[in-house]
Amino acid sequence: MPDSGRAPVLSLSEVSAGYGPIQILHEVSLHIDEGEIVAVIGPNGAGKSTTFKVIMGLINHLGGDVVYLGHNLVGLRPDRILGLGLAYVPQGRVVFGQMTVRENLEMGAYLERDKSRIKEAMDYVFTLFPRLGERPSQVAGSMSGGEQQMLAMGRGLMMRPKMMMLDEPSLGLSPRLVDEVFDKTVAMARGGLTVMLVEQNAARALEISDRGYVLELGRNRYQGTGGELLDNPDVRAMYLGGGVRGA
Amino acid sequence: MDDRAEMLGPEKAGRETAFSRPFADTAPAVAPAVGRRRGRGWMERSEVRSLYLLAAFLVAAYALPFVIGIRYGTVRWDAEWLGYLGTVVLSGFLQGGVYAMFAVGLTMIFGVMRIINAAHGEWVMMGAYLTWAAFFYLGVDPLLSLVFTLPIAFVFGMVVQKLLLNAVVGQPELTGLLVTFGLGLTMIYVAELIFTTDFRTIPYAPHSVQITDSIAVSQNKLISFTMALAISVGVYFLLKLTRIGKAIRATALNAEVAMVCGVNVGLIYLITTGIAASLAVAGGALVSIQFGFNPETGIIYTLQAFTIIILGGRGHYLGALIGGFMLAVLESLVSLMIPNGTAMVELAAYGLLIAVLLIRPGGLMGVKEG
Ligand SMILES: Nc1ncnc2c1ncn2[C@@H]1O[C@H](COP(=O)(O)OP(=O)(O)O)[C@@H](O)[C@H]1O
Ligand SMILES: [Mg+2]
């Protein structure tokens, strides 16, 4: 495992988790260092989204440690975790459909009381996603899929997080918008954000990532730098299937 | 919680009931399913068709009392009768504001927690008794007593949330319905123990106000309406503009995303039920100065609130307000025109509820279907 020499922002060691009595994750370990983009790939149902949910305190934690910047996240409520600077953008472009773009972004800054900081964060989001800035009063549910994804990402930026977990941001988008989403992800990382990215679009994700993990049936399977995984024949055969992009 | 997130997923969009989609206006609550975009025009063909259906249904519903009235000779077209008609419709309209106010509480609880509160009418009944007790034992003016009955109701709502509803959030809808039904029955028995089954009334500003030469309504109706309107508008702006209101709406739209936005959803549940109980108790205070009540009166209010929500469709806030006026005006027509009409008023709510469910299970207004 290559050591970037940077401090880990988030590390999971042997984390098990599930829904009610059903265990999905079996002793998953991974870590993300400061400023990295780390991709988590794997087939449908591998437990990628579940990994995000257990980090965020949304589901049953059955064992193992989740440590974020020295804080043990196990047992913390999602709002506390967000308060520590860890943002999560769920799968499926989930925005508040009946709220306007501005209201969605305000919800992203729900924990921020300082109006001027909210304004600054919103200006940053509008700079990064100009199309949101053009239509702050549009009802989110009436926007295109790509715009909704940008809004979900923008909402995740409103608390000025140190790290963001992005679940399948390119899912179901047209190729042009997929490019745009990946470009924005890289742009956010350049702005100092540590990014953990789950993607079906494994090849594209690994191209922009420093490192990656492959999960299978709720367990660690492979890990390495983006390049190593892209060159690994097993990974190629299973997830990068003959150069086909996407799932 | 995760089940809830699932429930709100796109695959659920196809089979909604009138209760789903809280505080919805026009757009789907969740991003459209992949590769399948919803129409963006505010009115699609199917919606235009459903508007016609709505219009036809309403004409029929409001015409029926006239038809029966003509059949039994209660309808006369002279000036005196038209004066009655005007009076009755106006008082119905005023009553609608009060109905709407407590129905909104039902909508909020359903919207945020997916719990159908079958005890809602009993909360209204509790409001009536609180007002009555304050009036008779302490001599407090029924409107003034809102100053302390509303905080009591808010705390009561939070306690119910903590002890009862938190246990059923995320469970199938039937569970919540049964638990709240049990709560309602318990409240009826407790009220019977304390207050007996006798009907109580609070004499309050019964004098008539002449609106035109032939139309007059009692002062207490005008006062109730004004209070109800003020409270409903207040809560509307609370939901629309305040931080906590936005958090309530966000939780209703998607609890999981609200959580990851930093909303303490448990706290939102407490506040929502507190507000809903306050609205119900305020409704109880405002009906207590107009009508007699006993411990079982609440059942009718539950039924009315259900009907209003079904009429309003989707449980959305303005829908509940409009539904309140629609039901109350219809009730007033029934009481005027159908022989033995006052006893038939309850039937109006039942009839309307069943008719809507038969014709459009998704509710009359707003919900698009197949
Ligand atoms: N809310 C839930 N309740 C029960 N099981 C779930 C739930 N969500 C996901 N699962 C199951 O957990 C497993 C992993 O799902 P998930 O983490 O969503 O996979 P993916 O890697 O595609 O994101 C799957 O078998 C899925 O069926
Ligand atoms: Mg997933």
Side-chain angles (χ1 to χ4, degrees), chain A residues 35-37 124 128-129 153 164 166 169 178-195 197 204-210:
Chain A
E36 274 190 315
I37 301 182
Y124 172 66
L128 192 62
F129 304 111
M153 289 163 71
M164 180 181 277
L166 275 171
V178 171
D179 287 343
E180 192 169 340
V181 164
F182 280 106
D183 289 348
K184 298 295 182 190
T185 306
V186 172
M188 291 191 307
R190 290 223 182 89
L193 191 72
T194 303
V195 177
L197 177 71
R204 286 300 302 277
L206 290 173
E207 278 166 23
I208 64 161
S209 298
D210 298 298

Side-chain angles (χ1 to χ4, degrees), chain B residues 214-302:
Chain B
S214 54
I215 298 178
V217 289
S218 60
Q219 276 175 351
N220 59 34
K221 282 211 157 51
L222 284 172
I223 293 169
S224 295
F225 175 78
T226 313
M227 288 295 293
L229 201 65
I231 294 172
S232 304
V233 170
V235 172
Y236 179 79
F237 282 110
L238 181 128
L239 287 174
K240 202 76 186 168
L241 300 180
T242 67
R243 180 170 179 272
I244 209 79
K246 284 178 189 171
I248 291 175
R249 281 161 61 214
T251 306
L253 291 172
N254 192 325
E256 197 176 62
V257 181
M259 268 187 223
V260 303
C261 284
V263 175
N264 177 352
V265 169
L267 182 65
I268 294 299
Y269 289 169
L270 286 171
I271 293 172
T272 300
T273 309
I275 293 175
S278 305
L279 288 169
V281 162
L286 297 181
V287 290
S288 73
I289 59 175
Q290 304 175 53
F291 307 106
F293 54 91
N294 82 349
E296 290 181 7
T297 311
I299 295 167
I300 306 303
Y301 292 124
T302 301

Side-chain angles (χ1 to χ4, degrees), chain A residues 19 43-50 52-53 88 91-92 167-168 171 198-200:
Chain A
Y19 301 90
N44 233 328
K48 305 181 298 293
S49 299
T50 305
F52 279 173
K53 287 184 197 167
Y88 164 49
Q91 183 176 336
D167 198 347
E168 311 250 14
L171 188 71
V198 159
E199 262 300 332
Q200 289 280 315

Side-chain angles (χ1 to χ4, degrees), chain A residues 142-155:
Chain A
S142 69
M143 297 196 306
S144 74
E147 288 160 353
Q148 291 188 16
Q149 181 58 43
M150 309 286 172
L151 180 57
M153 289 163 71
R155 189 184 57 208

Side-chain angles (χ1 to χ4, degrees), chain A residues 46-211:
Chain A
K48 305 181 298 293
S49 299
T50 305
T51 304
F52 279 173
K53 287 184 197 167
V54 71
I55 294 170
M56 214 52 204
L58 292 167
I59 59 166
N60 273 0
H61 168 271
L62 302 172
D65 288 329
V66 183
V67 178
Y68 170 79
L69 294 176
H71 302 271
N72 190 348
L73 299 188
V74 174
L76 289 190
R77 279 202 319 253
D79 49 316
R80 300 262 183 255
I81 295 173
L82 177 65
L84 295 174
L86 178 53
Y88 164 49
V89 180
Q91 183 176 336
R93 311 196 289 259
V94 269
V95 294
F96 298 113
Q98 278 85 48
M99 292 186 171
T100 64
V101 168
R102 184 181 296 280
E103 283 177 317
N104 266 276
L105 294 177
E106 282 167 358
M107 279 312 298
Y110 181 73
L111 294 175
E112 178 63 72
R113 298 285 188 155
D114 183 342
K115 286 232 159 63
S116 65
R117 285 180 66 87
I118 296 178
K119 170 97 180 44
E120 273 172 43
M122 202 172 294
D123 288 344
Y124 172 66
V125 170
F126 286 160
T127 317
L128 192 62
F129 304 111
R131 255 180 301 163
L132 300 180
E134 287 160 15
R135 52 192 80 172
S137 305
Q138 185 169 348
V139 174
S142 69
M143 297 196 306
S144 74
E147 288 160 353
Q148 291 188 16
Q149 181 58 43
M150 309 286 172
L151 180 57
M153 289 163 71
R155 189 184 57 208
L157 288 172
M158 287 298 292
M159 283 302 292
R160 303 151 171 262
K162 297 187 195 69
M163 174 172 163
M164 180 181 277
M165 302 190 292
L166 275 171
D167 198 347
E168 311 250 14
S170 78
L171 188 71
L173 298 183
S174 69
R176 191 178 54 81
L177 285 168
V178 171
D179 287 343
E180 192 169 340
V181 164
F182 280 106
D183 289 348
K184 298 295 182 190
T185 306
V186 172
M188 291 191 307
R190 290 223 182 89
L193 191 72
T194 303
V195 177
M196 185 173 167
L197 177 71
V198 159
E199 262 300 332
Q200 289 280 315
N201 204 336
R204 286 300 302 277
L206 290 173
E207 278 166 23
I208 64 161
S209 298
D210 298 298
R211 291 184 303 114

